[in-house]
Amino acid sequence: MKAGVIKKKWRGRRRLLRPLLRWRPLYVARKRIALRLTTPRLVCDTGALLPAGQLRLAEILRGGGQWSVVHEQFARYCGNIPAAGGITADDRRAVYCIVSGTGAASILEIGTHRGISTTLLALALHHGGAREKKLVSVDVFDVNRENGGGQTPAARMERMGFAGFVEFVQADSVGYLRCCREKYDLIFLDGDHRAPAVYREIPAALKLLNPGGVILLHDYHPGHRPLPIDANFYPGPSLAVEKLRREGANITVLPLGTPPWNAAGQPSTLALVLRAGQ
């Protein structure tokens, strides 16, 4: 049989198999097996991580007294940026509440993209009032390459007057986390959502936390189940956490659930990584 005929037949069969391969339980199982076979076991040092028993999530989400001001400023500078690929409006408020409620003054963000969450984090630090504040945003792509519109994340920080405490780095996430010598109060993992990447990022991020620091995950799906608001399903973060916990990592994950301001009852895909126990 000619090669072209074989390829054509395989393409036809692959189209027929595609719905089965994308069936969620089978899809998750395939990703879980691949993660187990391709990633060596890593050790998590959770000594600096905030214990779960010391965080009052409900109180934090009810806080954020300056949100109306922050939201107005955010809309002024980011209102014309396409929302696709960025955090949702509800998650922006949640991120602000977390930064404000934990008192974070130094933040590392993995995954800059259009700088939507970067802008929100910078505003949260600005309104937090800390004398010494720092925000480092890392992306594998050059997010600040001039596109002629003046809407790069770095240009936005300059216009907002935040350039003095915001730094952009072009680097691979795992490589940067392993080489970094700075310490942070909060690390936001929102870059590569594939399970092997998140599995490597979390142990590396733990080493960069100040005492009482936290890790914030985006696109975390409890039970590896898509949430109602999801346009895309990313089981990577939840699978990575599952593997770390099975290997003995003393961590727990606290999904934010449905924020109190969401009248429609739509849950967030944000989740906090904390140390298990009190």
Side-chain angles (χ1 to χ4, degrees):
M1 186 180 293
K2 293 184 180 180
V5 176
I6 295 174
K7 285 184 178 180
K8 187 173 181 180
K9 284 191 173 182
W10 167 241
R11 281 196 296 267
R13 290 170 182 170
R14 187 170 58 184
R15 281 195 293 269
L16 292 174
L17 288 171
R18 193 172 294 157
L20 177 62
L21 294 175
R22 291 181 177 177
W23 183 49
R24 183 184 58 78
L26 179 59
Y27 177 73
V28 170
R30 289 170 51 226
K31 295 294 182 181
R32 180 184 289 115
I33 293 170
L35 178 64
R36 184 172 68 246
L37 295 177
T38 59
T39 52
R41 179 171 180 168
L42 297 176
V43 177
C44 289
D45 180 0
T46 61
L49 197 61
L50 180 71
Q54 296 183 20
L55 185 130
R56 301 290 182 264
L57 181 59
E59 294 179 11
I60 287 176
L61 293 179
R62 284 197 299 267
Q66 297 189 67
W67 170 245
S68 58
V69 177
V70 170
H71 178 64
E72 180 184 348
Q73 293 176 329
F74 177 87
R76 187 188 313 160
Y77 289 98
C78 296
N80 60 344
I81 299 176
I87 59 175
T88 66
D90 281 334
D91 282 351
R92 294 170 202 160
R93 183 171 179 176
V95 168
Y96 169 73
C97 288
I98 289 169
V99 175
S100 176
T102 59
S106 55
I107 300 174
L108 173 61
E109 177 189 38
I110 299 297
T112 312
H113 194 42
R114 296 187 177 96
I116 293 177
S117 54
T118 313
T119 304
L120 200 285
L121 291 168
L123 282 166
L125 286 176
H126 173 70
H127 287 277
R131 180 178 299 179
E132 298 292 332
K133 47 186 174 287
K134 173 177 61 178
L135 170 59
V136 178
S137 188
V138 179
D139 201 290
V140 69
F141 300 108
D142 182 6
V143 298
N144 289 304
R145 185 172 57 186
E146 181 57 52
N147 58 13
Q151 275 294 311
T152 66
R156 193 180 314 128
M157 293 299 103
E158 189 77 38
R159 289 196 304 274
M160 298 178 74
F162 298 160
F165 67 87
V166 179
E167 177 185 357
F168 294 93
V169 177
Q170 183 182 359
D172 168 75
S173 63
V174 176
Y176 181 85
L177 288 166
R178 289 177 175 173
C179 294
C180 181
R181 295 296 177 264
E182 300 289 330
K183 297 288 185 178
Y184 300 91
D185 299 326
L186 186 150
I187 299 178
F188 184 26
L189 298 181
D190 188 23
D192 189 340
H193 292 79
R194 291 174 295 181
V198 182
Y199 176 78
R200 294 182 178 95
E201 287 174 349
I202 291 176
L206 288 170
K207 298 178 181 179
L208 303 183
L209 287 175
N210 284 319
V214 299
I215 294 175
L216 181 63
L217 298 176
H218 189 215
D219 289 318
Y220 181 84
H221 300 86
H224 322 303
R225 295 183 177 88
L227 296 175
I229 63 170
D230 292 337
N232 297 295
F233 172 47
Y234 299 105
S238 57
L239 285 172
V241 169
E242 176 188 75
K243 178 173 167 63
L244 289 168
R245 286 173 55 86
R246 284 183 174 178
E247 293 172 348
N250 187 34
I251 60 174
T252 187
V253 176
L254 184 60
L256 267 61
T258 303
W261 53 82
N262 190 307
Q266 293 178 334
S268 168
T269 63
L270 293 170
L272 288 162
V273 179
L274 305 166
R275 178 155 38 106
Q278 300 297 315

